[in-house]
Amino acid sequence: MADDDAPGGQPLDARPVRELRLALVCYGGVSLAIYMHGTTKEIHKLVLASQGRDLDSTTNPFAPETTEAVYWELLKDMEQQDGVRTRVVVDIVSGTSAGGINGVFLAKALAGNLDQSGLRALWLNQGDIHKLTKPAWAPVPLRFGLWGAKGLFTGFRGKPPLDGDFLLRQAYGALDGMDGKSVAIDGQRPATLMPDGHDLRLFVTTTDFHGYQRLAPAYAPIQVPSEWHRHVYAFERTTTHDAFGDSYNAALAFAARSTSSFPGAFPPAQLADLRRVPGATLPAGYDDEFFPTYRLAGHHPEDAWFVDGGVLDNFPFRAAIQAIFQMPASSEVDRRLLYVEPDPGAAKAATVARPNAPGFLATVFGAMSSIPASQPITGSLLELRDFNHRVDRVADVIDQAQQGIEEAVGRARTRLTSGGAPSLNVAMHEEAAAEKAAYAAYVRLKVRSVIDALAAAAAALCDFPPETDQAAFLTDVVKQWGRANGPLRPGVAADAAEVTAFLRTFDLGYTVRRLKFFLKGLNQLYAGADTRSGTPTRDQLDAAKTVVWSLIGRVVEPADALRPRAATRDDSFLPVIAALGERVRSVFALADVDASMARPGNTWDAVVQAYATPRLSQLDAVRDALDEYLNKRLDGFGDEMLRKLQDATRGWGAAGDRLWLRYDGFPLWDAVLYPMQKVAELGELNRVEVVRMSPIDATLLDPAEGKLSGVSFHHFGAFFHADGRANDYVWGRLDGAERLIWLLLHDRGDESDAFDPGAAAGYARRAFAAVVNEEADLERDAPKPFRAVAEDRRRAPATRAASPAGS
C-alpha cells in the first residue's frame, strides 16, 4: 500500500533514508536517575515513532496526545520537505551508577520492543527512602539514628543504611516484568526496534572494591604488581547473539545493582546476592562472557565485591566512542553522541577574591563526589575536541593531495595501457614507492601493524582477552619472532619480495581502509543526490554502501571467526580453525606463559627473548598455517571486490570517476594518510559531535525556581519525597522532548543552516501538551512542571507547530 503523504506516492520502504544514529551516555547521580528516566523514556518514544514511520501507514499510528504521535508527525513533515525519511536509531548505550540502571532498561526495551512502564513504577513507588531503609516499623529519622548509633558502637563496620537486596529484587522484577509486553504500532508488534543488520551495545561500569592483582610489564623488574578495580559489563544484540532476552535478566539486574552501589549508602554487591532473588539465574557461560580477565588473573567474580561505577568512571564516554565507528551503515548516517547530565551546575563567574579554605566536610565530599564527578567530563570533551581537530586536519591534507594523486593515477593508467606495468595496482604502488624514504617508513609501519594484528589473532585463539597480562606477553613474543625470523629482520628492504608477499596475505587492514575510504567518498555524494543531474540517486548510493559493507564483512570475518565463541557463517572452516587454535595454544600454553612472566631477576625483554627463541620454528609454522587459512578463506576476493564495486557504480559519470580516483589511487592516499592515522590514533576519519541533554539546555519552560528535587542532599533528595520523584520524572520527559525535537530539526544532513527555532518551539509545545496529558495522574504530586506548561501555553496561545515546509 502506498503512502499518500510520501513524495511521489512511493511506498515508505522505497523512500531514501537518512539515519540519525545516537550513542547515549548516562551519568551517575543517585536520585537524579529519576529525571534521567524521563529523558530516556522520550528517546525510547522517538525510536518508536521512527519505527512507525518505517511501517506502511497512511495515518499516524499512535494515539493522539502522546509524544510518539508528535514525533511521527515531525518526521513525516521533515520527509515532505526533504524527500528523505529520517530513521532514528540508538545503537550504543553507556551508563554509570544511576545512569547505568536507566541504560539497562532502555537497551532491553530497544532490543525487544518492550514497554518500560515497570521502571516508571520502580522509580516513583519504590525509589523511596522509606522502602530503601530498615527497620520498616521506625520513622525514617529514627532509622538513620539507629544506624548511626550502631555505627558508632561497631566502628561503622556494619552495612550502610540503604537496602541493596531491595534494589536488586526490584530491578530484577521490573526487567522480568518487561518480557512478553511488546509495544503495538498500528496493530503490529515488531520483535525489536533495531533495524535489520543493526547491532545494539550496552556498556555498564562498576568498581571491584578489592580488585585483583595484575602484573603490568616493565623493563626491570619484568612485572610490576598493581591492583585492577575498573570493570565494564558489555551486553550486545547481534544477528547471532542476544544478551537482552529473558535468560539475561539476572545478569542485567546485577549490572544495574553493582553499578549503582553508592559507597556509604548501599552495601557493596556480590554475585551471591542473586541467590536471595527468587527466579534469578545467571545465563550459561556468564563468567566467560562478562569476566574473561578474572580467570587469567586467578580471580573469581563470585569472590568480588562491587561498588558504584562512578568511583572510577562517572562519565563513561570512552566505551561509547570506541564502539561508534564499528557500526556499519547502508544509508546516509548522521551520528551524534548524547549525554544526559541532570545537574550540570551553574557557570561560575570569575572572581578576584581568594576562595576560602575548605572545611572538613566540604573537603571530604569534594574529594569523594563533586571533584571526581566534574573533572572527567572536561577531559573527555577536550579529548573529543582535539580528535575532531585532527580529523579536520586530515581532511585538509586529503584536499591538498587530490591533484597530485590524480596526476599519479593518470601516469599509472598510461603505463598500464602501454604495457609498462602488469596491473594498475602494481603501477600505483610503484608510484608510491618513488618517494623511497617515506615509502620505506610507511611499509615498515604497516608490517608492524600487521604483526600486532597477528598477535591479536593468536591471543584470541588462546582465549587471552586483549587487556590481560598474558595477551601483552604473547604480543611481545610475536614481535620478537618478527625481528628474528619475520619481515622485521635487520636488512630486509621495504620492497623485498618477502615483505610484499607478507603484506599481500596478512594486511587485511589495508583492504578495509581502502573500502572505507571509498565509502567516505560515497557518503559525500549524498549532498547532491536526487537534486543534481549526473549524480547518483540515494537509492543507488544506499545500494552501493550495502555492497561496500558486505565486502568489509568478508574481509574481517576470517579474523573474527578466530575469537572464542565466535559464530562463523562458513562451518567448513571450523576444523581448520580448531587445528589452528591447537597449534597456537601449543606455543602459548597458559602454564608456560605464566611461568615465564613470573621468572625473577631478569628484564622483560630478556624473558620475552628467552621464551621466543626456542619456539621460532613453531611460530614459523603458525605463520604458514594462518597464511593457508586466509588464502583459502579469501580466495578470489580481490576480483570479487573489483567486480562488485564496478557493478554498483556503473553509469555514474563524473561522480563515479571521483570515487574510482579514491580506489585506484589508494596506494598513494594510504601512504599519506595511514601514518597520520596510526600515530595520531585517529581510527576512522569521522568527527564525533556531542549533544548535552540537561535541565539548563531546555529553555522553553525554564522556571524561575530550581527544577529538580534530586539535586539536594548530595543528589539523594528525590528519594525522600514522592512529589520530588514525580516532579523530576515529568521534567525529564519535558526537557527530553524539547532537546530531541531540537536535534531532529537542527541535524537534517546539510540543512542545519536552515534551522527554524519557531518550528522547533511549535513541535515542542505539542510534545509538552502530550506529556502533561500522559502523566496527568502526577499533577497533584508534581504541580510545578504542569504549571510551567500551562503558563507557556498562556504566553503563546496562538503558537502552532509549523512544518519545516512552512505548511
Side-chain angles (χ1 to χ4, degrees), residues 222-285:
I222 63 171
Q223 289 184 310
V224 178
S226 62
E227 295 295 323
W228 187 262
H229 298 271
R230 186 191 307 272
H231 188 71
V232 179
Y233 302 99
F235 298 85
E236 64 179 4
R237 179 192 182 277
T238 67
T239 55
T240 58
H241 180 66
D242 183 5
F244 299 98
D246 55 3
S247 64
Y248 278 82
N249 284 339
L252 290 164
F254 186 76
R257 163 72 177 93
S258 58
T259 190
S260 58
S261 184
F262 192 90
F266 286 99
Q270 196 175 36
L271 282 170
D273 298 344
L274 286 167
R275 297 172 191 160
R276 298 188 292 274
V277 179
T281 304
L282 291 170

Coordinates of all heavy atoms in Angstrom, one line a residue, residues 222-285:
I222 N 60.6 -7.3 35.6 CA 59.9 -7.5 34.4 C 58.4 -7.3 34.6 O 57.7 -7.0 33.6 CB 60.1 -8.9 33.8 CG1 59.6 -10.0 34.8 CG2 61.6 -9.2 33.5 CD1 59.6 -11.4 34.2
Q223 N 57.9 -7.3 35.8 CA 56.5 -7.0 36.0 C 56.4 -6.3 37.3 O 57.1 -6.5 38.3 CB 55.7 -8.3 36.1 CG 55.5 -9.0 34.8 CD 54.6 -10.2 34.9 OE1 54.8 -11.1 35.7 NE2 53.6 -10.3 34.0
V224 N 55.4 -5.3 37.3 CA 55.1 -4.5 38.5 C 53.7 -4.8 38.9 O 52.8 -4.6 38.2 CB 55.2 -3.0 38.1 CG1 54.9 -2.2 39.4 CG2 56.6 -2.7 37.6
P225 N 53.6 -5.4 40.1 CA 52.2 -5.7 40.6 C 51.4 -4.5 40.9 O 51.9 -3.5 41.4 CB 52.5 -6.5 41.9 CG 53.8 -6.1 42.3 CD 54.6 -5.7 41.1
S226 N 50.1 -4.5 40.5 CA 49.2 -3.4 40.8 C 47.8 -4.0 40.9 O 47.5 -5.1 40.5 CB 49.2 -2.4 39.7 OG 48.8 -3.0 38.4
E227 N 46.9 -3.2 41.5 CA 45.5 -3.7 41.7 C 44.7 -3.1 40.6 O 44.8 -1.9 40.2 CB 45.0 -3.2 43.1 CG 45.7 -3.8 44.3 CD 45.5 -5.3 44.4 OE1 44.4 -5.8 44.0 OE2 46.5 -6.0 44.7
W228 N 43.8 -3.9 40.0 CA 42.9 -3.5 39.0 C 41.5 -3.5 39.5 O 41.0 -4.5 40.0 CB 43.0 -4.5 37.8 CG 42.3 -4.0 36.6 CD1 41.0 -4.4 36.2 CD2 42.7 -3.0 35.6 NE1 40.6 -3.8 35.0 CE2 41.6 -2.9 34.7 CE3 43.8 -2.2 35.5 CZ2 41.7 -2.0 33.6 CZ3 43.9 -1.4 34.4 CH2 42.9 -1.3 33.5
H229 N 40.8 -2.4 39.4 CA 39.5 -2.3 40.0 C 38.4 -2.0 39.0 O 37.2 -2.2 39.3 CB 39.5 -1.1 41.1 CG 40.4 -1.4 42.2 ND1 40.1 -2.1 43.3 CD2 41.7 -1.0 42.4 CE1 41.1 -2.1 44.2 NE2 42.1 -1.5 43.6
R230 N 38.7 -1.4 37.9 CA 37.7 -1.0 36.9 C 37.1 -2.2 36.2 O 37.8 -3.1 35.8 CB 38.3 0.0 35.9 CG 37.3 0.6 34.9 CD 38.0 1.3 33.8 NE 39.0 2.2 34.3 CZ 38.7 3.5 34.6 NH1 37.5 3.9 34.4 NH2 39.6 4.3 35.0
H231 N 35.8 -2.3 36.0 CA 35.2 -3.4 35.3 C 34.0 -2.8 34.5 O 33.3 -1.9 34.9 CB 34.7 -4.5 36.2 CG 34.2 -5.7 35.5 ND1 35.1 -6.5 34.8 CD2 33.0 -6.2 35.2 CE1 34.4 -7.5 34.2 NE2 33.1 -7.3 34.5
V232 N 33.8 -3.3 33.3 CA 32.8 -2.9 32.4 C 32.0 -4.2 31.9 O 32.6 -5.1 31.4 CB 33.3 -2.2 31.1 CG1 32.1 -1.8 30.2 CG2 34.1 -0.9 31.6
Y233 N 30.7 -4.2 32.2 CA 29.8 -5.2 31.6 C 29.4 -4.8 30.2 O 29.0 -3.7 30.0 CB 28.5 -5.3 32.4 CG 28.7 -5.6 33.9 CD1 28.6 -4.6 34.9 CD2 28.9 -6.9 34.3 CE1 28.8 -4.9 36.2 CE2 29.0 -7.2 35.7 CZ 29.0 -6.2 36.6 OH 29.1 -6.5 38.0
A234 N 29.6 -5.7 29.3 CA 29.3 -5.4 27.9 C 28.3 -6.4 27.4 O 28.5 -7.6 27.3 CB 30.6 -5.5 27.0
F235 N 27.1 -5.8 27.1 CA 26.0 -6.6 26.6 C 25.8 -6.2 25.1 O 25.9 -5.1 24.8 CB 24.7 -6.3 27.4 CG 24.7 -6.7 28.8 CD1 25.2 -5.8 29.8 CD2 24.2 -7.9 29.3 CE1 25.2 -6.1 31.1 CE2 24.2 -8.2 30.6 CZ 24.7 -7.3 31.5
E236 N 25.4 -7.2 24.3 CA 25.2 -6.8 22.9 C 24.1 -7.7 22.3 O 23.9 -8.9 22.7 CB 26.5 -7.0 22.1 CG 27.1 -8.3 22.0 CD 28.3 -8.4 21.2 OE1 28.8 -7.3 20.7 OE2 28.9 -9.5 20.9
R237 N 23.4 -7.1 21.3 CA 22.5 -7.8 20.5 C 23.0 -7.8 19.1 O 23.2 -6.7 18.5 CB 21.1 -7.2 20.6 CG 20.1 -7.9 19.7 CD 18.8 -7.1 19.6 NE 17.8 -7.8 18.8 CZ 17.7 -7.8 17.4 NH1 18.7 -7.1 16.7 NH2 16.8 -8.5 16.8
T238 N 23.3 -8.9 18.5 CA 23.8 -9.0 17.1 C 22.9 -10.0 16.4 O 21.9 -10.5 16.9 CB 25.2 -9.5 17.1 OG1 25.3 -10.9 17.5 CG2 26.1 -8.7 18.0
T239 N 23.2 -10.3 15.2 CA 22.4 -11.3 14.4 C 22.6 -12.7 15.0 O 21.7 -13.6 14.7 CB 22.9 -11.3 12.9 OG1 24.3 -11.5 12.9 CG2 22.6 -10.0 12.3
T240 N 23.6 -13.0 15.8 CA 23.8 -14.3 16.3 C 23.8 -14.4 17.8 O 23.9 -15.5 18.3 CB 25.2 -14.8 15.8 OG1 26.2 -13.9 16.3 CG2 25.3 -14.9 14.3
H241 N 23.6 -13.3 18.5 CA 23.6 -13.3 19.9 C 22.7 -12.2 20.5 O 22.7 -11.1 20.0 CB 25.0 -13.2 20.5 CG 25.1 -13.2 22.0 ND1 24.8 -14.3 22.7 CD2 25.5 -12.2 22.9 CE1 25.0 -14.0 24.0 NE2 25.4 -12.8 24.1
D242 N 21.9 -12.5 21.5 CA 21.0 -11.5 22.1 C 21.2 -11.6 23.7 O 20.7 -12.5 24.3 CB 19.6 -11.8 21.8 CG 18.6 -10.7 22.3 OD1 19.1 -9.7 22.9 OD2 17.4 -10.8 22.1
A243 N 21.9 -10.6 24.2 CA 22.1 -10.6 25.7 C 21.1 -9.8 26.4 O 21.3 -9.3 27.5 CB 23.5 -10.0 26.0
F244 N 19.9 -9.6 25.8 CA 18.8 -8.8 26.4 C 17.5 -9.7 26.6 O 16.5 -9.2 27.0 CB 18.5 -7.6 25.6 CG 19.7 -6.6 25.5 CD1 20.5 -6.6 24.4 CD2 20.0 -5.8 26.6 CE1 21.6 -5.8 24.3 CE2 21.0 -4.9 26.5 CZ 21.9 -4.9 25.4
G245 N 17.6 -11.0 26.2 CA 16.5 -11.8 26.4 C 16.2 -12.2 27.9 O 17.0 -11.8 28.8
D246 N 15.2 -13.0 28.1 CA 14.8 -13.3 29.5 C 15.9 -14.0 30.3 O 16.0 -13.9 31.5 CB 13.5 -14.0 29.6 CG 13.5 -15.3 28.7 OD1 14.5 -15.7 28.1 OD2 12.4 -16.0 28.7
S247 N 16.7 -14.8 29.6 CA 17.7 -15.6 30.3 C 18.8 -14.7 30.8 O 19.7 -15.1 31.6 CB 18.4 -16.6 29.3 OG 19.0 -16.0 28.2
Y248 N 18.9 -13.4 30.4 CA 19.9 -12.5 30.8 C 19.4 -11.5 31.8 O 20.1 -10.5 32.2 CB 20.5 -11.7 29.6 CG 21.6 -12.4 28.9 CD1 21.2 -13.4 27.9 CD2 22.9 -12.2 29.1 CE1 22.2 -14.1 27.3 CE2 23.9 -12.9 28.5 CZ 23.5 -13.9 27.5 OH 24.5 -14.6 26.9
N249 N 18.1 -11.6 32.3 CA 17.6 -10.7 33.3 C 18.4 -10.6 34.5 O 18.6 -9.5 35.1 CB 16.1 -11.0 33.6 CG 15.2 -10.6 32.4 OD1 15.5 -9.8 31.6 ND2 14.0 -11.3 32.4
A250 N 18.8 -11.7 35.0 CA 19.6 -11.7 36.3 C 21.0 -11.0 36.1 O 21.4 -10.2 36.9 CB 19.9 -13.1 36.8
A251 N 21.6 -11.2 34.9 CA 22.9 -10.5 34.6 C 22.6 -9.0 34.4 O 23.5 -8.2 34.9 CB 23.4 -11.1 33.3
L252 N 21.6 -8.6 33.8 CA 21.3 -7.2 33.7 C 20.9 -6.6 35.0 O 21.4 -5.4 35.3 CB 20.1 -7.0 32.7 CG 20.4 -7.3 31.2 CD1 19.0 -7.5 30.5 CD2 21.2 -6.2 30.6
A253 N 20.2 -7.3 35.8 CA 19.8 -6.7 37.1 C 21.1 -6.6 38.0 O 21.2 -5.6 38.7 CB 18.8 -7.7 37.8
F254 N 22.0 -7.5 38.0 CA 23.2 -7.4 38.8 C 24.1 -6.3 38.3 O 24.7 -5.6 39.1 CB 23.9 -8.7 38.8 CG 25.1 -8.7 39.8 CD1 24.9 -8.8 41.1 CD2 26.4 -8.5 39.3 CE1 25.9 -8.7 42.0 CE2 27.5 -8.5 40.2 CZ 27.2 -8.6 41.6
A255 N 24.1 -6.1 37.0 CA 24.9 -5.0 36.5 C 24.3 -3.7 37.0 O 25.0 -2.7 37.4 CB 24.9 -5.0 34.9
A256 N 22.9 -3.6 37.0 CA 22.3 -2.4 37.4 C 22.5 -2.2 38.9 O 22.8 -1.0 39.4 CB 20.8 -2.4 37.2
R257 N 22.5 -3.2 39.7 CA 22.7 -3.1 41.1 C 24.2 -2.8 41.5 O 24.4 -1.9 42.3 CB 22.4 -4.5 41.8 CG 22.9 -4.7 43.2 CD 22.2 -3.9 44.2 NE 22.7 -4.2 45.6 CZ 23.7 -3.5 46.2 NH1 24.3 -2.5 45.6 NH2 24.1 -3.9 47.4
S258 N 25.1 -3.4 40.8 CA 26.5 -3.2 41.2 C 27.0 -1.8 40.7 O 27.8 -1.2 41.3 CB 27.4 -4.3 40.6 OG 27.3 -4.4 39.2
T259 N 26.5 -1.3 39.5 CA 27.0 0.0 39.0 C 26.4 1.1 39.9 O 27.0 2.2 39.9 CB 26.5 0.2 37.6 OG1 27.2 1.4 37.1 CG2 25.0 0.5 37.5
S260 N 25.3 0.9 40.6 CA 24.7 2.0 41.4 C 24.9 1.8 42.9 O 24.2 2.4 43.7 CB 23.2 2.0 41.1 OG 22.6 0.8 41.4
S261 N 25.9 1.0 43.3 CA 26.2 0.8 44.7 C 27.0 1.9 45.3 O 28.2 1.8 45.6 CB 26.9 -0.6 44.9 OG 27.1 -0.9 46.2
F262 N 26.3 3.0 45.5 CA 26.9 4.2 46.0 C 27.6 4.0 47.3 O 27.0 3.6 48.3 CB 25.9 5.4 46.2 CG 26.5 6.7 46.3 CD1 26.7 7.5 45.2 CD2 26.8 7.2 47.6 CE1 27.3 8.8 45.4 CE2 27.3 8.5 47.8 CZ 27.6 9.3 46.7
P263 N 28.9 4.3 47.4 CA 29.7 4.0 48.6 C 29.1 4.7 49.9 O 28.8 5.9 49.8 CB 31.1 4.4 48.3 CG 31.2 4.4 46.8 CD 29.8 4.8 46.4
G264 N 28.9 3.9 50.9 CA 28.4 4.5 52.2 C 26.9 4.6 52.2 O 26.4 4.8 53.3
A265 N 26.2 4.4 51.1 CA 24.8 4.4 51.1 C 24.2 3.0 50.9 O 23.4 2.5 51.7 CB 24.2 5.3 50.0
F266 N 24.7 2.3 49.8 CA 24.3 0.9 49.6 C 25.5 0.0 50.0 O 26.6 0.4 49.8 CB 23.9 0.7 48.1 CG 22.6 1.3 47.7 CD1 22.5 2.5 47.1 CD2 21.4 0.6 48.0 CE1 21.3 3.0 46.7 CE2 20.2 1.1 47.6 CZ 20.1 2.3 47.0
P267 N 25.2 -1.2 50.4 CA 26.3 -2.1 50.7 C 26.9 -2.5 49.3 O 26.2 -2.5 48.3 CB 25.7 -3.3 51.4 CG 24.2 -3.2 51.1 CD 23.9 -1.7 50.8
P268 N 28.2 -2.9 49.3 CA 28.7 -3.5 48.1 C 27.9 -4.7 47.6 O 27.3 -5.4 48.4 CB 30.2 -3.9 48.5 CG 30.5 -3.1 49.7 CD 29.2 -2.9 50.4
A269 N 27.9 -4.9 46.3 CA 27.2 -6.0 45.7 C 28.1 -7.2 45.4 O 29.3 -7.1 45.1 CB 26.5 -5.6 44.4
Q270 N 27.5 -8.4 45.6 CA 28.2 -9.6 45.3 C 27.3 -10.6 44.6 O 26.1 -10.5 44.8 CB 28.7 -10.3 46.6 CG 29.8 -11.4 46.4 CD 30.3 -11.9 47.8 OE1 29.5 -12.0 48.7 NE2 31.5 -12.2 47.9
L271 N 27.9 -11.4 43.7 CA 27.0 -12.3 42.9 C 26.1 -13.2 43.7 O 25.0 -13.5 43.3 CB 27.9 -13.1 41.9 CG 28.4 -12.4 40.7 CD1 29.5 -13.2 40.0 CD2 27.2 -12.1 39.7
A272 N 26.6 -13.5 44.9 CA 25.8 -14.3 45.8 C 24.5 -13.7 46.2 O 23.5 -14.3 46.6 CB 26.6 -14.7 47.1
D273 N 24.4 -12.3 46.1 CA 23.1 -11.6 46.4 C 22.0 -12.2 45.5 O 20.8 -12.1 45.9 CB 23.3 -10.1 46.1 CG 24.4 -9.5 47.0 OD1 24.7 -10.1 48.0 OD2 24.8 -8.4 46.7
L274 N 22.3 -12.6 44.3 CA 21.2 -13.1 43.4 C 20.5 -14.4 44.0 O 19.4 -14.6 43.6 CB 21.8 -13.4 42.0 CG 22.2 -12.2 41.2 CD1 23.0 -12.6 40.0 CD2 20.9 -11.5 40.7
R275 N 21.2 -15.1 44.9 CA 20.6 -16.3 45.5 C 19.3 -15.9 46.3 O 18.5 -16.7 46.5 CB 21.5 -17.0 46.3 CG 22.7 -17.6 45.6 CD 23.8 -18.2 46.5 NE 25.0 -18.4 45.9 CZ 26.2 -18.6 46.5 NH1 26.3 -18.5 47.8 NH2 27.3 -18.8 45.8
R276 N 19.3 -14.6 46.8 CA 18.2 -14.2 47.6 C 17.1 -13.5 46.7 O 16.1 -13.0 47.3 CB 18.7 -13.2 48.6 CG 19.7 -13.8 49.6 CD 20.0 -12.8 50.7 NE 20.8 -11.7 50.3 CZ 22.1 -11.7 50.2 NH1 22.8 -12.7 50.5 NH2 22.7 -10.5 49.8
V277 N 17.2 -13.7 45.4 CA 16.2 -13.1 44.5 C 15.5 -14.3 43.8 O 16.1 -15.0 43.0 CB 16.8 -12.2 43.4 CG1 15.8 -11.7 42.5 CG2 17.6 -11.1 44.1
P278 N 14.2 -14.5 44.1 CA 13.5 -15.7 43.6 C 13.5 -15.6 42.0 O 13.2 -14.6 41.4 CB 12.1 -15.5 44.1 CG 12.2 -14.7 45.3 CD 13.4 -13.8 45.1
G279 N 13.9 -16.8 41.4 CA 13.9 -16.9 40.0 C 15.1 -16.4 39.2 O 15.2 -16.6 38.0
A280 N 16.0 -15.7 39.9 CA 17.1 -15.1 39.3 C 18.2 -16.1 39.0 O 18.8 -16.6 40.0 CB 17.7 -13.9 40.1
T281 N 18.5 -16.4 37.8 CA 19.5 -17.4 37.4 C 20.4 -16.8 36.3 O 19.9 -16.2 35.3 CB 18.9 -18.7 36.8 OG1 18.0 -19.2 37.8 CG2 20.0 -19.7 36.5
L282 N 21.7 -16.8 36.5 CA 22.6 -16.3 35.5 C 22.7 -17.1 34.3 O 22.5 -18.4 34.4 CB 24.0 -16.1 36.1 CG 24.1 -15.1 37.2 CD1 25.5 -15.2 37.9 CD2 24.0 -13.7 36.6
P283 N 22.9 -16.6 33.1 CA 23.0 -17.4 31.9 C 24.2 -18.3 31.8 O 25.2 -18.0 32.5 CB 23.0 -16.3 30.8 CG 23.6 -15.1 31.4 CD 23.2 -15.1 32.9
A284 N 24.2 -19.3 31.1 CA 25.3 -20.2 30.9 C 26.5 -19.4 30.3 O 26.3 -18.6 29.5 CB 24.9 -21.4 30.0
G285 N 27.7 -19.7 30.9 CA 28.9 -19.0 30.4 C 29.0 -17.6 30.8 O 29.7 -16.8 30.2

